Amino acid sequence: MNVARKVLVVGGGIGGLCTAIALRRKHIAVDLVELQSDWTVYGVGIIQQGNVLREMSRLGLLEAYLDAAYAFEDVAIYTAEGQQLVRIPGQRLAGPQYPANVGISRRALHKVLSETVIELGAQVRLGLSVESLEQDEAGVEVVFTDASRGRYDLVVGADGLYSKVRSLLFGDKYQPRFTGQSVWRYNFPRPAHLDHLATYQGAMGNAGLVPLSEDLMYMFVTSHEPDKPWMETDQLAAQMRLRLQGFGNPIAQLCEQIVDNDQVVYKPLEAVFVDEPWYRGRVVIIGDAAHATTPHLGQGAGMAIEDALVLSEALTGEGSVEEQLQHFMTRRFERCKFISESSLLAGEREIARDYTFDRASLVRRMLEVTAQPI
């Protein structure tokens, strides 16, 4: 019998949804609360690599997920002028019949995950979060932000970078820190020849093109923003174009098409890593709540998805809740720390304009690590 028979998942993003799905597959009752009343996500894309496809298969989602995504094999690194430096083949970790990587719009991914959560019978409440937690040896008493209450065998905080659950466990010990960079994103029609992840090394940051579907791709560019500036909405397109100066084609050709301020997604890059066990008693944090990092290696969501699978396996294994959560930490801590530190390193080398930095070797090392079983 599962020690945790009823679980509260706080947060309806990628990590929280995958946790709810994984637990329901194990026949554990799940309540999920999400602070947003309008359960939507912003409309750019996300890169997901072979380890994510492998875990999507284990979640029973691979076919629906691939139907909503664009499959590709390789990652290529180019100079700012468009000269190819290296092309790195992906790894087909989900099986030889499946692709190595995908690009998928966040909206499409959210649709697959949220619909599956509902189909599997998780109880979802929107516009709601946790106000307070009180634990005893047998469970957790939860007071929600609408003053309602619930009792659970376990609480999972998957509530992101500014996690309320993390603050309830650790106080203000772990606060997100600005890394000195921001990322800008914009959608474009996809030309037929853009059939891989293409990244371009510029003087001020890196840009990239990511295929999302047969007719859609997105561009991203990182920029050094030491003062963490607030960007006025009516200036976003012009400011993104400014950060793309110095790139040749194809980035330069696309740059002038960035004209719609409302379509620019601008995000200062912040990070946090909880450098001790991510749980206290019967409350655990996962994903960005525990180890938010930058997108330089494209593994932030992947680590959250892996967290979800490993947690579900730990909670249906042998031992007490304490022993199960210790086992979860053993399987997750070093792997997530490697991704966090490596992603931050890539950003730091961009800020320093370190032209000797071997990004390709770091990407290869990341692929080696994430190919390993969890």
Side-chain angles (χ1 to χ4, degrees), residues 36 44 69-70 79 101 127 131 147 157 162 164 174 181 184 201 210 219 242 253 287-288 298 306 314 325 344 351 368:
Q36 295 185 82
V44 292
Y70 182 88
T79 66
N101 307 286
E131 183 65 36
Y162 287 90
K164 177 63 179 291
Y174 296 100
Q181 284 189 302
W184 309 70
Q201 297 184 343
V210 184
M219 176 195 290
L242 186 64
Q253 291 174 328
D288 280 357
E306 288 186 356
L325 294 178
L344 292 170
I351 291 173
E368 290 174 4

Side-chain angles (χ1 to χ4, degrees), residues 48-363:
Q48 302 204 303
Q49 297 158 356
N51 59 311
V52 177
L53 274 75
R54 178 177 60 197
E55 304 319 314
M56 284 295 181
S57 178
R58 296 173 64 206
L59 279 170
L61 294 173
L62 189 54
E63 298 301 333
Y65 171 72
L66 289 176
D67 286 345
Y70 182 88
F72 65 93
E73 295 299 313
D74 301 340
V75 176
I77 300 175
Y78 299 86
T79 66
E81 294 75 30
Q83 179 182 357
Q84 182 173 301
L85 297 172
V86 64
R87 195 170 181 116
I88 304 170
Q91 302 181 66
R92 294 190 164 202
L93 301 180
Q97 71 274 39
Y98 295 110
N101 307 286
V102 301
I104 186 170
S105 82
R106 288 182 179 267
R107 289 176 179 172
L109 178 58
H110 177 78
K111 185 175 187 292
V112 170
L113 297 180
S114 59
E115 289 181 354
T116 303
V117 163
I118 299 299
E119 290 169 3
L120 291 176
Q123 301 302 305
V124 176
R125 290 192 288 170
L126 303 180
L128 197 65
S129 188
V130 168
E131 183 65 36
S132 65
L133 303 168
E134 185 174 341
Q135 300 193 55
D136 55 43
E137 290 186 1
V140 187
E141 294 286 344
V142 178
V143 178
F144 295 100
T145 49
D146 66 352
S148 63
R149 294 174 174 268
R151 183 170 176 83
Y152 299 90
D153 300 310
L154 186 80
V155 174
V156 181
D159 49 343
L161 182 67
Y162 287 90
S163 169
K164 177 63 179 291
V165 178
R166 185 182 66 234
S167 70
L168 291 173
L169 291 187
F170 299 101
D172 61 1
K173 182 176 181 180
Y174 296 100
Q175 297 294 318
R177 69 170 183 87
F178 178 54
T179 66
Q181 284 189 302
S182 295
V183 65
W184 309 70
R185 299 180 176 99
Y186 199 88
N187 285 335
F188 293 91
R190 184 187 73 85
H193 66 269
L194 199 285
D195 60 356
H196 61 287
L197 167 59
T199 66
Y200 302 82
Q201 297 184 343
M204 303 297 291
N206 274 13
L209 300 173
V210 184
L212 295 176
S213 70
E214 290 298 324
D215 56 5
L216 185 68
M217 69 177 180
Y218 78 92
M219 176 195 290
F220 68 84
V221 62
T222 56
S223 62
H224 185 201
E225 309 288 350
D227 300 323
K228 195 182 177 181
W230 172 259
M231 297 290 174
E232 297 293 340
T233 302
D234 64 358
Q235 293 296 311
L236 285 174
Q239 291 293 333
M240 184 173 180
R241 291 196 303 271
L242 186 64
R243 269 78 178 168
L244 290 166
Q245 291 183 354
F247 286 96
N249 293 331
I251 299 297
Q253 291 174 328
L254 294 168
C255 179
E256 296 309 310
Q257 300 177 38
I258 302 172
V259 295
D260 187 344
N261 293 307
D262 292 334
Q263 295 302 311
V264 177
V265 176
Y266 167 74
K267 183 181 179 183
L269 295 180
E270 298 175 283
V272 67
F273 190 87
V274 177
D275 203 13
E276 60 185 290
W278 303 335
Y279 66 93
R280 292 287 184 272
R282 290 173 173 262
V283 182
V284 60
I285 55 174
I286 68 165
D288 280 357
H291 48 78
T293 191
T294 60
H296 292 84
L297 294 178
Q299 278 288 341
M303 291 299 102
I305 294 166
E306 288 186 356
D307 283 352
L309 263 296
V310 174
L311 183 62
S312 72
E313 292 177 349
L315 293 176
T316 51
E318 298 296 325
S320 65
V321 169
E322 168 75 18
E323 291 168 332
Q324 291 172 341
L325 294 178
Q326 285 179 347
H327 184 56
F328 167 75
M329 287 301 305
T330 298
R331 294 174 64 185
R332 297 306 298 149
F333 186 83
E334 292 299 332
R335 188 178 177 101
C336 292
K337 188 172 185 178
F338 166 79
I339 292 296
S340 177
E341 292 178 346
S342 299
S343 300
L344 292 170
L345 174 64
E348 290 164 2
R349 293 300 86 205
E350 286 182 15
I351 291 173
R353 302 189 190 183
D354 180 0
Y355 301 111
T356 68
F357 177 62
D358 190 347
R359 179 181 292 270
S361 291
L362 184 64
V363 171

